Short mmCIF file of all heavy atoms in Angstrom, two decimals:
data_model
loop_
_atom_site.label_atom_id
_atom_site.label_comp_id
_atom_site.label_asym_id
_atom_site.label_seq_id
_atom_site.Cartn_x
_atom_site.Cartn_y
_atom_site.Cartn_z
N GLN A 3 -4.24 -11.97 -6.23
CA GLN A 3 -3.64 -11.14 -5.17
C GLN A 3 -2.78 -10.11 -5.80
O GLN A 3 -2.23 -10.27 -6.89
CB GLN A 3 -2.82 -12.09 -4.20
CG GLN A 3 -3.73 -12.99 -3.43
CD GLN A 3 -3.00 -13.67 -2.27
OE1 GLN A 3 -1.86 -14.09 -2.39
NE2 GLN A 3 -3.67 -13.77 -1.13
N HIS A 44 10.79 8.80 -11.26
CA HIS A 44 11.02 7.66 -12.09
C HIS A 44 9.74 7.02 -12.73
O HIS A 44 9.79 6.00 -13.37
CB HIS A 44 11.76 6.52 -11.34
CG HIS A 44 13.04 7.01 -10.75
ND1 HIS A 44 13.90 7.89 -11.39
CD2 HIS A 44 13.69 6.68 -9.61
CE1 HIS A 44 14.96 8.12 -10.65
NE2 HIS A 44 14.88 7.43 -9.54
N ILE A 45 8.60 7.61 -12.35
CA ILE A 45 7.32 6.98 -12.79
C ILE A 45 7.25 6.86 -14.29
O ILE A 45 6.95 5.82 -14.82
CB ILE A 45 6.13 7.73 -12.23
CG1 ILE A 45 6.00 7.48 -10.71
CG2 ILE A 45 4.85 7.36 -12.92
CD1 ILE A 45 4.90 8.20 -10.00
N LYS A 68 -5.59 19.64 -7.13
CA LYS A 68 -5.22 19.31 -8.50
C LYS A 68 -3.99 20.06 -8.97
O LYS A 68 -3.20 19.61 -9.76
CB LYS A 68 -6.35 19.71 -9.44
CG LYS A 68 -7.49 18.71 -9.55
CD LYS A 68 -8.38 19.13 -10.70
CE LYS A 68 -9.71 18.36 -10.61
NZ LYS A 68 -10.77 19.11 -11.25
N ASN A 99 6.58 11.22 9.31
CA ASN A 99 7.57 12.25 8.88
C ASN A 99 6.99 13.53 8.37
O ASN A 99 7.64 14.55 8.35
CB ASN A 99 8.51 11.67 7.74
CG ASN A 99 9.17 10.39 8.13
OD1 ASN A 99 9.22 10.03 9.31
ND2 ASN A 99 9.74 9.70 7.18
N GLU A 102 0.94 13.62 8.55
CA GLU A 102 -0.29 13.42 7.83
C GLU A 102 -1.39 12.87 8.74
O GLU A 102 -1.15 11.89 9.43
CB GLU A 102 -0.07 12.50 6.58
CG GLU A 102 0.76 13.13 5.55
CD GLU A 102 0.66 12.45 4.20
OE1 GLU A 102 -0.17 11.52 4.02
OE2 GLU A 102 1.41 12.88 3.30
N THR A 120 -6.18 4.36 -8.48
CA THR A 120 -6.68 3.45 -7.39
C THR A 120 -5.81 3.66 -6.15
O THR A 120 -4.58 3.43 -6.22
CB THR A 120 -6.64 1.97 -7.84
OG1 THR A 120 -7.39 1.86 -9.05
CG2 THR A 120 -7.22 1.08 -6.78
N PRO A 121 -6.41 4.08 -5.08
CA PRO A 121 -5.57 4.33 -3.86
C PRO A 121 -5.35 3.05 -3.04
O PRO A 121 -6.27 2.25 -2.92
CB PRO A 121 -6.40 5.35 -3.03
CG PRO A 121 -7.80 5.12 -3.49
CD PRO A 121 -7.82 4.54 -4.84
N PRO A 152 -18.50 6.78 -0.68
CA PRO A 152 -18.03 5.43 -0.81
C PRO A 152 -16.51 5.37 -1.04
O PRO A 152 -15.90 6.42 -1.37
CB PRO A 152 -18.73 4.96 -2.10
CG PRO A 152 -18.96 6.19 -2.88
CD PRO A 152 -19.19 7.35 -1.90
N GLY A 155 -11.05 1.44 -3.55
CA GLY A 155 -9.57 1.23 -3.43
C GLY A 155 -9.26 0.05 -2.59
O GLY A 155 -10.04 -0.84 -2.43
N VAL A 157 -7.09 -1.40 1.02
CA VAL A 157 -6.54 -1.03 2.36
C VAL A 157 -5.34 -1.92 2.62
O VAL A 157 -5.35 -3.15 2.38
CB VAL A 157 -7.59 -1.28 3.45
CG1 VAL A 157 -6.95 -1.12 4.87
CG2 VAL A 157 -8.73 -0.24 3.30
N THR A 170 8.50 -9.38 11.36
CA THR A 170 7.18 -9.58 10.69
C THR A 170 6.13 -9.84 11.75
O THR A 170 6.42 -10.49 12.77
CB THR A 170 7.25 -10.79 9.77
OG1 THR A 170 8.45 -10.76 9.05
CG2 THR A 170 6.08 -10.80 8.78
N GLU A 188 -17.06 -3.81 6.98
CA GLU A 188 -18.51 -4.16 6.72
C GLU A 188 -19.40 -3.30 7.60
O GLU A 188 -20.48 -2.85 7.15
CB GLU A 188 -18.69 -5.63 7.01
CG GLU A 188 -18.10 -6.53 5.95
CD GLU A 188 -18.03 -8.00 6.31
OE1 GLU A 188 -18.67 -8.41 7.32
OE2 GLU A 188 -17.48 -8.77 5.54
N VAL A 206 7.70 -8.24 4.62
CA VAL A 206 7.38 -9.47 3.82
C VAL A 206 8.61 -9.84 3.01
O VAL A 206 9.24 -8.99 2.38
CB VAL A 206 6.14 -9.18 2.87
CG1 VAL A 206 5.89 -10.40 1.98
CG2 VAL A 206 4.91 -8.80 3.69
N ARG A 207 8.94 -11.15 3.09
CA ARG A 207 10.12 -11.68 2.41
C ARG A 207 9.70 -12.97 1.71
O ARG A 207 8.68 -13.52 2.04
CB ARG A 207 11.23 -12.05 3.44
CG ARG A 207 11.65 -10.87 4.34
CD ARG A 207 12.62 -9.96 3.59
NE ARG A 207 13.11 -8.91 4.50
CZ ARG A 207 12.55 -7.67 4.56
NH1 ARG A 207 11.51 -7.37 3.80
NH2 ARG A 207 13.07 -6.75 5.40
N GLY A 221 -5.36 -10.16 0.78
CA GLY A 221 -5.51 -10.14 -0.66
C GLY A 221 -4.24 -9.78 -1.39
O GLY A 221 -4.27 -9.46 -2.57
N GLY A 226 8.23 -3.42 0.92
CA GLY A 226 9.24 -2.36 0.89
C GLY A 226 10.57 -2.90 0.40
O GLY A 226 10.85 -3.08 -0.77
N GLU A 234 13.74 -11.35 -5.24
CA GLU A 234 12.92 -11.43 -4.02
C GLU A 234 11.50 -11.07 -4.29
O GLU A 234 10.57 -11.68 -3.85
CB GLU A 234 13.51 -10.58 -2.91
CG GLU A 234 14.83 -11.12 -2.38
CD GLU A 234 15.25 -10.48 -1.09
OE1 GLU A 234 14.41 -9.90 -0.36
OE2 GLU A 234 16.44 -10.61 -0.78
N VAL A 244 -4.44 -17.26 -5.94
CA VAL A 244 -5.39 -16.55 -6.75
C VAL A 244 -6.61 -16.11 -5.98
O VAL A 244 -6.99 -16.76 -5.04
CB VAL A 244 -5.91 -17.48 -7.88
CG1 VAL A 244 -6.64 -16.72 -8.97
CG2 VAL A 244 -4.75 -18.28 -8.50
#
Side-chain angles (χ1 to χ4, degrees):
Q3 290 194 318
H44 302 325
I45 287 177
K68 276 192 196 153
N99 303 347
E102 292 197 3
T120 304
V157 170
T170 317
E188 286 170 7
V206 176
R207 304 279 182 266
E234 290 196 18
V244 194

